[in-house]
Amino acid sequence: MSSFREQKIAKKKREILRSAAAVLAEKGYHGTTMEEIAAQLLMTKGSMYYYFKNKDDILYHCHQMIMELSLEKIEEVVNSDLNPIEKLESAIKAHILLSTKEKSMFMIMDKPYQKFTDDQLNEVLDARRNYAHYFDKILNEGIEKQVFEIDDTKMVRMIILSAINYIQQWYNQDGPQTGEEIAESYASNLLKMVVKKS
Amino acid sequence: MSSFREQKIAKKKREILRSAAAVLAEKGYHGTTMEEIAAQLLMTKGSMYYYFKNKDDILYHCHQMIMELSLEKIEEVVNSDLNPIEKLESAIKAHILLSTKEKSMFMIMDKPYQKFTDDQLNEVLDARRNYAHYFDKILNEGIEKQVFEIDDTKMVRMIILSAINYIQQWYNQDGPQTGEEIAESYASNLLKMVVKKS
DNA sequence: ATACTATTTAAACTAATAGTAAAAAAATAA
DNA sequence: TTATTTTTTTACTATTAGTTTAAATAGTAT
């Protein structure tokens, strides 16, 4: 029974998370105060504690939000009936489209060990390993089907993930390239690293 | 007249920077206290202020140290008489060898706009643009000499820089790969993106 | 209108920490 | 040894920010 009220709270929480992510991305976790997060939403910092346990909790829910979205997308690609080349291309493009659209959220996701401990840290690290694993799956499938030629899967996967994971650091909404253009270019260039020459 | 005393101070400063970088890399800038930095060197935080103006100053000098080293190395490569393929290979390897050797220093160099303002920020950003520019130079030289085939130099440069700039995030001194092995693999894979097939 | 609940606010509390300055200690020179 | 300078420590200040609480306000149902 997700009542009207519960929906309203959920909506407010999402609003707070989106707004918080923007400030956190700009100033960093320890550089952002609860007051700043609140002010941007025209609230007082006290109100934040009605919706979230504490500052960590806000950051944690930002992570959860994006991790869910990211995993959904990659799972869809991996489980599709595309061939490995198309899968890798789709996975790269999907990631880039999401990370440029949700730049702030992606920007606050680095160095989780500086921000979380115990269960929360493990959950975040697991989700990441999971995500990386899906890329390995695509790469291995391509090797098996002899469309990819890769000497060291882990290194190639790291190059791909690093490249796409750094985009949020320099991408600018108002810059010369759109997310789509970057996705197109990155996909075509990164595929050159793995596609077998016939 | 770089007296004995001045040399001693310079040495101590370097010691502080190296030690500080280790803590800063682990805990983040705002997550690291002056006391922690001092404690690791068996000093008291008061002493830190004898050598550095403040906390920012420590971070800033860490940046300077690495930027100088990095620029030296890339300049050497760019000005060498190697062919473009060898130059790109050397530049990639040199970067990776340095960033794995000086992991902590490299780790604290992200998001400079969160840490610096004004002159210091500009200096850091300039050094980075400079560094990126050297890669462009190598890429363009390769295109001119028709050994590289690149559709969008900026995108390719970003992929290369992102890939090598992320290594410090996952590299582990005690991990399975040495810096040399990573350098070897990254160079050979990244070159596949640009070298013209004859 | 009234009673009740949900939400927001303002103020107070607490703990932590960057930075300072004066005194103490150590090193050096006369 | 004594005087002087360099380095380190200790104790202090002021500020800042996360969190809590109790009261006020707004919203809803009877």
Side-chain angles (χ1 to χ4, degrees), chain A residues 88-103:
Chain A
L88 184 54
E89 197 187 333
S90 302
I92 291 169
K93 285 184 180 174
H95 180 107
I96 295 176
L97 290 178
L98 187 60
S99 76
T100 48
K101 190 173 151 222
E102 302 289 350
K103 175 178 150 95

Side-chain angles (χ1 to χ4, degrees), chain A residues 5 12 44 47 50-51:
Chain A
R5 192 190 145 233
K12 193 99 185 199
T44 56
S47 301
Y50 184 74
Y51 295 99

Side-chain angles (χ1 to χ4, degrees), chain B residues 2-181:
Chain B
S2 170
S3 66
F4 179 66
R5 190 189 146 233
E6 277 166 334
Q7 287 186 318
K8 233 182 92 185
I9 286 189
K11 188 188 166 194
K12 192 95 182 204
K13 280 189 179 181
R14 281 196 303 273
E15 267 172 42
I16 292 175
L17 291 179
R18 299 198 122 265
S19 180
V23 191
L24 289 167
E26 197 194 324
K27 311 210 171 186
Y29 180 68
H30 292 283
T32 300
T33 69
M34 291 296 276
E35 240 154 7
E36 280 173 312
I37 294 174
Q40 179 157 298
L41 290 152
L42 304 176
M43 298 185 197
T44 57
K45 73 168 169 176
S47 300
M48 297 293 110
Y49 290 90
Y50 183 74
Y51 294 100
F52 293 99
K53 222 170 74 248
N54 52 35
K55 197 175 162 186
D56 283 14
D57 200 35
I58 292 176
L59 188 68
Y60 176 67
H61 280 94
C62 284
H63 273 70
Q64 273 216 324
M65 205 173 176
I66 285 301
M67 293 190 314
E68 252 171 56
L69 273 174
S70 299
L71 284 172
E72 255 173 46
K73 288 195 190 296
I74 188 94
E75 272 164 22
E76 199 189 304
V77 170
V78 168
N79 295 327
S80 73
D81 55 3
L82 295 172
N83 69 47
I85 293 180
E86 291 165 332
K87 276 189 186 174
L88 184 55
E89 197 186 331
S90 301
I92 291 170
K93 285 183 181 174
H95 180 107
I96 295 175
L97 290 178
L98 187 60
S99 75
T100 48
K101 190 174 151 224
E102 302 288 350
K103 175 178 150 94
S104 296
M105 291 273 181
F106 275 82
M107 284 195 74
I108 62 180
M109 293 190 63
D110 63 336
K111 308 193 184 154
Y113 53 88
Q114 280 181 8
K115 298 157 182 166
F116 300 116
T117 58
D118 308 324
D119 292 347
Q120 287 190 336
L121 179 57
N122 281 325
E123 202 171 325
V124 172
L125 293 181
D126 278 349
R128 280 166 184 247
R129 273 190 283 268
N130 218 231
Y131 194 72
H133 183 66
Y134 281 122
F135 272 87
D136 279 345
K137 239 176 137 172
I138 297 175
L139 293 176
N140 285 325
E141 194 189 320
I143 293 171
E144 260 170 50
K145 296 198 176 162
Q146 305 192 25
V147 288
F148 290 167
E149 192 162 62
I150 299 173
D151 57 350
D152 186 334
T153 310
K154 189 193 163 191
M155 287 293 102
V156 168
R157 182 244 292 160
M158 288 309 311
I159 291 175
I160 295 173
L161 283 179
S162 304
I164 64 182
N165 234 319
Y166 201 81
I167 294 174
Q168 61 266 17
Q169 303 294 336
W170 59 268
Y171 171 72
N172 178 357
Q173 188 91 52
D174 311 315
Q177 285 104 3
T178 64
E180 280 84 1
E181 285 164 350

